[in-house]
Amino acid sequence: MHQGQLTVAVLGPLGTYTHQAAYGRFGSSVQYHECGTITDVFNVVASQVAHAGVVPQENSTFGSVIETYDALRRENIGTICGEILLEVQHCLLVRRGVKREDIRYIKSHEQALGQCRDFLAQHFPSAALEKVGSTAAAAKAVSTSDDCAAICSKVCATVFSDLEIMFEGIQDRNNNYTRFYVVSAALDELPSPVPIPRQTRCLVRLSSAKGNRPSPIMQLLSALGMNIARLDRRPQLDTTLLFSNIYFAELERGELGDEPWMLEIQCALQRVQDSGGDAQLMGIW
Amino acid sequence: MHQGQLTVAVLGPLGTYTHQAAYGRFGSSVQYHECGTITDVFNVVASQVAHAGVVPQENSTFGSVIETYDALRRENIGTICGEILLEVQHCLLVRRGVKREDIRYIKSHEQALGQCRDFLAQHFPSAALEKVGSTAAAAKAVSTSDDCAAICSKVCATVFSDLEIMFEGIQDRNNNYTRFYVVSAALDELPSPVPIPRQTRCLVRLSSAKGNRPSPIMQLLSALGMNIARLDRRPQLDTTLLFSNIYFAELERGELGDEPWMLEIQCALQRVQDSGGDAQLMGIW
């Protein structure tokens, strides 16, 4: 690997918003590797089957993407080296000829179902909501079904034959954006087509040191002493302590100084270690 | 209302873990009001159709319950006045006679689907996962279906006729607990059967003051200056600013002093207001 054409892993099949976000960044010069789940995107990047990957991190309406943060709890899961912002306009797609009254199931990724809660409650209060791996996987499944509809992008109506658009712009809020992380295998192995401007963001994983009494989050954050743009919490599973937490702090650079930002971050991580916590740099971009 | 028998709203139908948690606290002396969604539990309590309500807050395996935190973003949503801890052991239930190879759909609440991810991937990799309002609603639906299974509690096999247990203890982690909030209409209107020990917990909602430039979360937390046990983030929707956040900080009392804790909390909220943020007390227990 790392010779010839660049391979970028995305949540597949082609037609997902993740693929659109990746295409907007990498264009047609790279090869796209379709994964069935977000976790698989991380896996193929960490195992160097792909040079880079793109995963959804957060939606402006429905919030953080749980599967992404859960993958980031693991060791050797790769590193974040960039971000992409994409406006998301959902459509309801059905197989050509399926009528509104035929629809018993509505399939999509849990994020898309969550971003269209009001629409679904109003127009399809009795339809069953089926959670599938991606929006395009939903479209693909619906193309062979007589009683299903998929929430996905307009693009899927051209990617999969026999589909037609029943509703357009069905997200609960017009101002609906999804933010993606670009991931690569290791901090020093950024794929070259990713433009590296002066770094202004990084993601830090914070947890109580293993085996210790949990450190209060304020103690960890105070020791870190950095400007936090986003802070997310997930259960820490590699411990017998019930309701232990891992926090993910996305840091934002205040002023662009002369010193490399990395030095400042490394000092901050050391302060957390010294205070009895555990801090891990998950990426800088 | 507020005369005669106490009414407690729960996520229904009877047989949910929420109902079991509520029953463990309130017993058979109260009347249970079954709601279709977590949001409805908040609504009937806020509108005083029920004296109190019980909602799931967090699971030790799959984390925070999004619908609960999203409801807590709203104004006049009631107040938290207690917590309940319940061990959760999931079963896979089918209609009597349905065979493993007949199962095409597996229905449950998104939390239960999330707590059994490994089991589902291993035993039913090709089954469709259907997200319904509650675990007991899934059991009820499955009792009239030939190709579905429900993830729910063992209790549902007795609540709904014609159901049998196909698998028991299918949660990914043995140490699987759900924590619930008890909610009431207003801070000074606690339902009397809720025991009020010396208060040691409270929930505070933090956001940038409306219309202002967002205050960094560290600025709000430093102004608050309290011991934080849990910190959660959800999108703030009543603003035109993209990716604005609301944080929920559950505070834990350090030492039990002589002063009422409420005074200390009120001073902390005032410090947040003074620093340009917005802080709202969502309950104390």
Side-chain angles (χ1 to χ4, degrees):
Chain A
M1 210 194 68
H2 284 203
Q3 284 174 359
Q5 201 181 23
L6 196 80
T7 303
V8 177
V10 294
L11 180 64
L14 299 189
T16 58
Y17 295 104
T18 307
H19 175 232
Q20 286 176 46
Y23 192 86
R25 169 66 56 93
F26 297 96
S28 57
S29 65
V30 305
Q31 193 178 345
Y32 292 99
H33 180 105
E34 302 169 35
C35 295
T37 64
I38 291 169
T39 308
D40 280 347
V41 175
F42 279 103
N43 288 341
V44 301
V45 173
S47 61
Q48 307 209 346
V49 172
H51 299 81
V54 176
V55 292
Q57 172 263 325
E58 171 174 5
N59 173 268
S60 59
T61 303
F62 198 56
S64 304
V65 178
I66 286 177
E67 198 182 340
T68 295
Y69 282 98
D70 279 358
L72 288 167
R73 288 182 301 193
R74 287 163 43 201
E75 295 306 316
N76 305 318
I77 195 64
T79 181
I80 298 158
C81 59
E83 65 181 68
I84 306 169
L85 192 65
L86 183 78
E87 186 175 1
V88 169
Q89 297 268 341
H90 291 300
C91 294
L92 192 77
L93 265 65
V94 292
R95 194 165 95 160
R96 210 169 292 280
V98 169
K99 298 272 170 294
R100 186 171 162 170
E101 56 271 23
D102 302 331
I103 298 173
R104 287 181 55 218
Y105 296 93
I106 296 178
K107 293 172 193 269
S108 199
H109 188 268
E110 62 186 340
Q111 270 280 339
L113 294 171
Q115 292 161 36
C116 302
R117 281 189 287 198
D118 295 349
F119 169 85
L120 293 170
Q122 195 188 333
H123 292 88
F124 295 95
S126 57
L129 306 182
E130 204 177 299
K131 176 177 145 173
V132 296
S134 73
T135 51
K140 191 176 178 182
V142 160
S143 66
T144 58
S145 161
D146 286 330
D147 59 358
C148 288
I151 299 177
C152 55
S153 83
K154 203 173 178 170
V155 169
C156 289
T158 58
V159 172
F160 303 100
S161 57
D162 281 336
L163 286 181
E164 64 181 354
I165 297 170
M166 183 174 279
F167 288 95
E168 237 181 296
I170 62 170
Q171 66 281 354
D172 295 340
R173 296 174 66 83
N174 271 327
N175 218 12
N176 190 45
Y177 284 80
T178 299
R179 187 169 178 262
F180 299 82
Y181 279 152
V182 183
V183 294
S184 66
L187 267 182
D188 55 352
E189 222 175 314
L190 299 172
S192 55
V194 181
I196 309 177
R198 265 186 110 170
Q199 292 155 336
T200 57
R201 296 255 168 195
C202 75
L203 186 72
V204 172
R205 186 175 68 193
L206 296 166
S207 59
S208 310
K210 280 165 204 164
N212 280 9
R213 210 184 121 75
S215 308
I217 179 63
M218 266 312 281
Q219 186 178 311
L220 302 180
L221 295 178
S222 300
L224 193 68
M226 303 282 276
N227 189 22
I228 295 171
R230 293 173 162 81
L231 190 60
D232 288 277
R233 179 171 76 101
R234 293 298 299 153
Q236 181 176 10
L237 298 185
D238 58 350
T239 165
T240 53
L241 279 173
L242 208 59
F243 293 111
S244 290
N245 295 314
I246 286 193
Y247 284 90
F248 293 92
E250 196 180 294
L251 309 183
E252 192 170 34
R253 194 172 190 174
E255 288 173 18
L256 290 182
D258 289 334
E259 294 291 311
W261 197 33
M262 186 60 115
L263 283 182
E264 200 185 323
I265 293 166
Q266 281 168 341
C267 290
L269 300 187
Q270 189 58 53
R271 286 195 301 269
V272 175
Q273 305 283 2
D274 293 345
S275 81
D278 186 34
Q280 188 79 33
L281 183 61
M282 304 300 292
I284 177 168
W285 65 98
Chain B
M1 209 195 68
H2 284 203
Q3 283 173 0
Q5 202 181 22
L6 195 79
T7 303
V8 176
V10 294
L11 179 63
L14 300 189
T16 58
Y17 296 103
T18 309
H19 175 232
Q20 287 175 44
Y23 192 86
R25 169 65 56 91
F26 296 98
S28 57
S29 65
V30 305
Q31 193 178 345
Y32 292 98
H33 181 105
E34 302 169 36
C35 295
T37 64
I38 291 169
T39 309
D40 280 348
V41 174
F42 280 103
N43 288 342
V44 301
V45 173
S47 61
Q48 307 208 345
V49 171
H51 299 79
V54 176
V55 293
Q57 172 264 324
E58 172 174 3
N59 172 268
S60 58
T61 304
F62 198 56
S64 304
V65 179
I66 287 178
E67 199 182 341
T68 295
Y69 282 97
D70 280 358
L72 287 167
R73 290 183 298 193
R74 287 161 46 199
E75 296 305 316
N76 305 317
I77 196 65
T79 181
I80 296 156
C81 59
E83 66 182 68
I84 305 169
L85 192 65
L86 184 77
E87 186 174 2
V88 170
Q89 296 268 343
H90 291 299
C91 294
L92 193 77
L93 267 64
V94 292
R95 194 165 94 159
R96 210 170 291 279
V98 169
K99 298 272 169 298
R100 187 172 160 170
E101 56 271 24
D102 302 331
I103 298 173
R104 288 181 54 219
Y105 297 93
I106 296 179
K107 294 172 192 266
S108 199
H109 188 270
E110 61 186 341
Q111 270 281 338
L113 293 171
Q115 292 160 36
C116 303
R117 282 188 287 196
D118 295 348
F119 169 85
L120 293 171
Q122 195 188 333
H123 292 88
F124 296 95
S126 58
L129 305 182
E130 203 176 299
K131 174 178 146 172
V132 296
S134 72
T135 51
K140 191 177 178 180
V142 160
S143 67
T144 58
S145 161
D146 287 331
D147 59 357
C148 288
I151 298 177
C152 55
S153 83
K154 203 173 178 170
V155 169
C156 289
T158 57
V159 172
F160 303 100
S161 57
D162 282 337
L163 286 183
E164 63 181 357
I165 297 170
M166 183 175 278
F167 288 94
E168 238 182 294
I170 62 170
Q171 65 281 353
D172 294 340
R173 294 174 67 82
N174 273 326
N175 218 11
N176 190 44
Y177 284 81
T178 298
R179 187 170 178 261
F180 297 82
Y181 279 152
V182 183
V183 294
S184 66
L187 268 183
D188 54 354
E189 223 176 315
L190 299 173
S192 56
V194 180
I196 309 178
R198 266 187 109 170
Q199 293 156 335
T200 57
R201 295 256 168 195
C202 76
L203 185 73
V204 171
R205 188 175 67 195
L206 297 164
S207 58
S208 310
K210 280 166 202 163
N212 281 8
R213 208 184 123 75
S215 308
I217 178 63
M218 265 313 280
Q219 185 178 314
L220 302 181
L221 296 179
S222 299
L224 193 67
M226 304 282 276
N227 189 22
I228 294 171
R230 293 173 162 81
L231 190 60
D232 288 279
R233 179 172 77 101
R234 292 298 299 153
Q236 181 175 13
L237 298 185
D238 58 349
T239 164
T240 53
L241 279 174
L242 209 58
F243 293 111
S244 290
N245 295 314
I246 287 193
Y247 284 90
F248 293 92
E250 196 179 294
L251 309 183
E252 192 170 32
R253 195 173 190 175
E255 290 173 16
L256 290 182
D258 290 333
E259 294 290 311
W261 197 34
M262 185 62 115
L263 283 181
E264 201 186 324
I265 293 166
Q266 280 167 342
C267 290
L269 300 187
Q270 189 60 51
R271 288 194 299 270
V272 176
Q273 304 283 359
D274 293 347
S275 81
D278 186 33
Q280 187 81 33
L281 183 61
M282 304 302 291
I284 177 168
W285 65 98

